[in-house]
Amino acid sequence: MNQTGLPARRSAHHMLMQITEEGRLMAELIGGGALARLENDDRARAQRLATEALRGLDRADRMLKPYLKKAPPAHVMNALRLGVIELCSGEAAHGVVNAYVEIVARNKRTQSMKGLTNAVLRKIAAEGPEGWAKRAIPLTPGWLRQPLVAAWGREAVTGMEAAHFAGAPLDLSVKGDAAVIADTLGGTVTPTGSVRLQNAGQVSNLKGYVEGDWWVQDAAAAIPVKLLGDVKGLQVLDLCAAPGGKAMQLAALGADVTALDISEKRMERIGENLSRVGLKANCVVSDAFAYEETGFDAVLLDAPCSATGTIRRHPDLPYAKDGSEFGVLIDQQEAMIDHALSLLKPGGRLVFCTCSLLPDEGEVQAEEALTRHTGLTIDTDALKIDGIDADWITPEGGLRLRPDYWADIGGLDGFYMAVLRKPA
């Protein structure tokens, strides 16, 4: 790792600028090579810094406000935010202040504000971790917080924000005995059967990775497949398969799986993952609406959505997005439900799910599907699986998961899911 820490800090600052000002997602930036020139340690440090800054951005802004007469340019503000995160996590003030002063000074448009940067960060250093701890849990940006409060109430949203701020442990789905894998890796088994690890470190270094004993999958994302029960020998279509966790679950349970995704690159990754864990699926690269094979016993549709349920792991999302795409996504989900139903044999089941916290992408979609399709029903018996709290079952018969659930063991992603049964 570079001894000055400047390369990692500059890269973290660049990513923060791209996310907050250009609306780009961190995964997109990293996939595009934003950290490619860094050494391994610096790469990890830059990603950690940017992630922690996004997770605590609202709290950082609250700490900075008393020392700023007006908001500085974004280049300076993001340098200050990163400085707050480092100073309030106990990093030595001298190195932190000098680094962010240099980042501000290197930009011709902001170099005149290096004195301000120095003065403000030294005042923050005087507050330190104690000042940070006094501030409230960071609030979700208003464009998203308002509809969440309308849907779930302030108390629930406060709980979700606490979960977002805390981040997410690492969850694994396993091919064999979850208890054995948990014992081997020093983890625990969640109520629904996933293996949960705290402070897991580098995933590929964990025992069982090379052997293909497990794959990374949030506990919430693993539940939709479980709702299908015994799928051994059944023809099952995973209609939007990337990143492939559900296809691997289905294959491990003995289903005859067709995994479909529109992206050839993502499908290559699914194939690599299937190969690593020693499982097979028929992998198809196609637009979902262009795929017309019928007669499936079950279809799993994890539909494209706002992904607002994944903020525990992706704190960039509420800063890179503004909700303007919601209408298009909702229309697409409706059309995908209708198309998925057409691919089922009579009596077949569709598991519709989204990693969204918004009812319009979950409960409302299920209710409206029932009105559009005569004879379509919701299979509430499918929800009777281990670990499901009765309070999570919604009036129309689906399952609503939220980040504030399981708060004592690290939460879980926000998800909606329902099992829709086609008439025989």
Side-chain angles (χ1 to χ4, degrees), residues 204-244:
S204 58
N205 291 337
L206 295 174
K207 184 174 177 56
Y209 176 83
V210 173
E211 296 82 356
D213 294 337
W214 47 261
W215 55 93
V216 175
Q217 186 177 32
D218 188 80
I223 295 175
V225 168
K226 296 175 185 291
L227 301 186
L228 285 172
D230 183 4
V231 294
K232 188 173 183 179
L234 297 185
Q235 299 282 332
V236 183
L237 170 65
D238 187 355
L239 192 54
C240 297

Side-chain angles (χ1 to χ4, degrees), residues 173-176 212-215 217 225 229-233 244-257 274 277-281:
S173 289
V174 307
K175 287 195 300 184
D213 294 337
W214 47 261
W215 55 93
Q217 186 177 32
V225 168
D230 183 4
V231 294
K232 188 173 183 179
K246 296 178 182 65
M248 287 187 280
Q249 279 183 280
L250 290 164
L253 291 170
D256 185 351
V257 184
L274 284 163
V277 299
L279 296 170
K280 294 182 179 180

Side-chain angles (χ1 to χ4, degrees), residues 57-372:
L57 193 142
D58 176 67
R59 183 182 280 192
D61 286 358
R62 289 169 186 263
M63 283 196 76
L64 289 166
K65 188 175 181 179
Y67 306 122
L68 297 170
K69 291 182 179 179
K70 62 178 182 179
H75 188 86
V76 177
M77 191 65 184
N78 280 323
L80 291 172
R81 287 164 167 165
L82 287 163
V84 169
I85 295 300
E86 291 208 67
L87 292 168
C88 292
S89 65
E91 291 290 334
H94 178 76
V96 173
V97 174
N98 285 352
Y100 291 108
V101 166
E102 183 168 349
I103 286 172
V104 169
R106 286 190 180 197
N107 187 307
K108 291 182 178 180
R109 294 183 179 181
T110 63
Q111 61 186 197
S112 64
M113 304 189 79
K114 62 183 183 180
L116 170 72
T117 303
N118 180 76
V120 169
L121 288 181
R122 292 200 177 280
K123 290 175 181 176
I124 293 293
E127 288 197 53
E130 295 79 10
W132 177 260
K134 293 177 183 177
R135 265 54 178 204
I137 295 293
L139 300 179
T140 303
W143 72 264
L144 178 57
R145 193 173 203 273
Q146 291 171 9
L148 292 182
V149 169
W152 312 116
R154 292 187 182 278
E155 183 178 355
V157 172
T158 298
M160 294 182 205
E161 288 167 336
H164 294 162
F165 185 48
L170 184 73
D171 291 342
L172 310 176
S173 289
V174 307
K175 287 195 300 184
D177 189 326
V180 171
I181 299 295
D183 184 63
T184 300
L185 298 177
T188 58
V189 180
T190 69
T192 53
S194 295
V195 172
R196 175 158 290 186
L197 307 179
Q198 306 289 344
N199 304 313
Q202 180 63 38
V203 170
S204 58
N205 291 337
L206 295 174
K207 184 174 177 56
Y209 176 83
V210 173
E211 296 82 356
D213 294 337
W214 47 261
W215 55 93
V216 175
Q217 186 177 32
D218 188 80
I223 295 175
V225 168
K226 296 175 185 291
L227 301 186
L228 285 172
D230 183 4
V231 294
K232 188 173 183 179
L234 297 185
Q235 299 282 332
V236 183
L237 170 65
D238 187 355
L239 192 54
C240 297
K246 296 178 182 65
M248 287 187 280
Q249 279 183 280
L250 290 164
L253 291 170
D256 185 351
V257 184
T258 297
L260 181 144
D261 197 88
I262 194 172
S263 167
E264 185 171 349
K265 184 176 181 180
R266 290 198 298 264
M267 187 54 73
E268 288 177 1
R269 182 67 182 272
I270 292 172
E272 292 169 0
N273 289 336
L274 284 163
S275 178
R276 179 180 68 82
V277 299
L279 296 170
K280 294 182 179 180
N282 175 31
C283 295
V284 178
V285 177
S286 172
D287 182 288
F289 293 108
Y291 188 76
E292 297 181 343
E293 294 292 329
T294 61
F296 286 97
D297 296 292
V299 174
L300 180 64
L301 171 59
D302 189 350
C305 70
S306 65
T308 46
T310 68
I311 296 173
R312 293 159 66 243
R313 292 178 292 108
H314 302 294
D316 50 322
L317 191 145
Y319 297 102
K321 302 293 184 180
D322 61 7
S324 58
E325 79 280 19
F326 284 175
V328 172
L329 287 169
I330 290 166
D331 289 345
Q332 184 182 41
Q333 291 154 16
E334 178 180 317
M336 293 190 84
I337 289 173
D338 293 348
H339 181 62
L341 289 170
S342 74
L343 305 180
L344 286 169
K345 71 178 187 180
R349 294 170 294 164
L350 166 64
V351 178
F352 165 71
C353 59
T354 56
C355 54
S356 172
L357 290 170
L358 302 170
D360 283 347
E361 297 187 286
E363 291 87 341
V364 174
Q365 289 286 15
E367 290 171 350
E368 293 185 350
L370 294 174
T371 65
R372 290 196 307 275

